[in-house]
Amino acid sequence: MDPKVKVLIVCTNHTDYPSRPHKTGLWLSEATHFYDELADRNIGYDMVSPQGGHIPIDQKSLDLKDNINDKWYHNPDFRHKLENSLRPEEINPADYQIIYFAGGHGTMWDFPENKTLQETTRQIYDNGGMVAAVCHGVCALLNVTLSDGTLLVDNRQVTGYSNLEEKLVRLDEEVPFLLEDALKKKNALYSKSLIPFLPYIEVDERLVTGQNPLSSRKVGRKVLEEIFEK
């Protein structure tokens, strides 16, 4: 293994819905299940969020009966990074070969327009690195422009949380936009599983995206394949 391989895990700071009383935030398994795959290869990691500091966790995702959630939520280093995430301005993109955007509904508010995260993504990709995202975290890619002036997702095979899934959890009228529609408007070649909430990923060269929380581990496995097996 190349000892220099390191991943930057990006999480949301946003917690509020327009009219729902419960709070959103990071969907925990989208960070834990992804990194659990990479941890077996001793890949280093940092966590960053749009504002830095504390990363809120959607309480509906805090399932510690999930052994992987329990493992990492009680891991001192992982927990410290959740509580003390870096700010985008503190990141040197050259330090990372992988950038991964974890989801949770909060990302819909604070990922798409973050210029510093967009630039970090562009630099990692242009340097030959991997860009990965899952579920609502895919919204971070909507406005990423590469050095040749094209959008990262333009004419690329991608997936992300579907309109149907959003409607089934009854949050389609709470989010600022529907991710599936937004990706299609950016000329992304969007696809999804025929059955909602099942694991599903898309791979387009060095871009790996997952549809929903259950896709997180598959995204991690595919990233490893692309990094180490080619």
Side-chain angles (χ1 to χ4, degrees):
M1 185 196 77
D2 182 346
K4 296 181 181 179
V5 174
K6 193 173 184 181
V7 60
L8 182 63
I9 299 175
V10 190
C11 303
T12 184
N13 296 117
H14 188 89
T15 60
D16 295 329
Y17 288 108
S19 64
R20 294 291 180 93
H22 75 267
K23 302 295 185 180
T24 183
L26 165 69
W27 197 266
L28 183 60
S29 65
E30 295 179 23
T32 59
H33 285 224
F34 171 83
Y35 186 68
D36 194 60
E37 286 293 319
L38 277 63
D40 290 340
R41 301 295 288 263
N42 295 315
I43 293 176
Y45 69 104
D46 286 321
M47 289 189 182
V48 64
S49 61
Q51 297 177 20
H54 172 70
I55 293 170
I57 297 172
D58 189 313
Q59 288 301 304
K60 291 188 175 183
S61 78
L62 193 60
D63 179 10
L64 298 184
K65 294 178 183 177
D66 175 328
N67 291 335
I68 304 304
N69 275 353
D70 183 64
K71 170 184 175 181
W72 291 105
Y73 189 70
H74 291 108
N75 176 282
D77 184 59
F78 196 90
R79 189 72 170 272
H80 177 79
K81 289 178 178 181
L82 280 174
E83 296 293 338
N84 302 274
S85 66
L86 300 170
R87 291 182 294 105
E89 295 75 18
E90 298 177 284
I91 296 299
N92 178 5
D95 292 340
Y96 305 93
Q97 290 69 48
I98 308 162
I99 185 168
Y100 169 71
F101 292 91
H105 280 86
T107 62
M108 301 287 279
W109 283 271
D110 64 359
F111 275 12
E113 304 301 330
N114 191 293
K115 301 294 186 184
T116 307
L117 288 175
Q118 291 170 29
E119 176 63 15
T120 299
T121 304
R122 181 194 69 75
Q123 289 190 42
I124 291 173
Y125 189 82
D126 281 350
N127 288 338
M130 297 283 302
V131 175
V134 75
C135 200
H136 293 92
V138 178
C139 74
L141 310 181
L142 287 167
N143 298 311
V144 174
T145 302
L146 301 178
S147 55
D148 64 2
T150 64
L151 286 173
L152 174 63
V153 299
D154 182 28
N155 204 36
R156 304 292 292 276
Q157 298 284 346
V158 300
T159 188
Y161 209 61
S162 69
N163 291 354
L164 178 57
E165 287 168 324
E166 204 71 85
K167 290 174 183 176
L168 288 172
V169 298
R170 299 182 179 180
L171 290 170
D172 53 306
E173 295 186 2
E174 292 290 320
V175 291
F177 59 90
L178 294 175
L179 180 56
E180 177 181 336
D181 290 348
L183 286 165
K184 291 175 179 177
K185 287 178 181 177
K186 296 291 185 176
N187 201 38
L189 304 178
Y190 178 88
S191 66
K192 60 187 175 184
S193 171
L194 291 175
I195 302 173
F197 305 116
L198 289 184
Y200 183 84
I201 68 170
E202 276 288 356
V203 184
D204 194 321
E205 296 181 348
R206 291 177 288 110
L207 175 62
V208 182
T209 50
Q211 182 178 331
N212 47 41
L214 287 179
S215 307
S216 306
R217 185 173 290 279
K218 288 188 72 173
V219 171
R221 288 175 183 166
K222 192 61 184 178
V223 165
L224 285 179
E225 288 179 18
E226 296 295 316
I227 288 284
F228 291 108
E229 297 180 14
K230 288 194 174 182

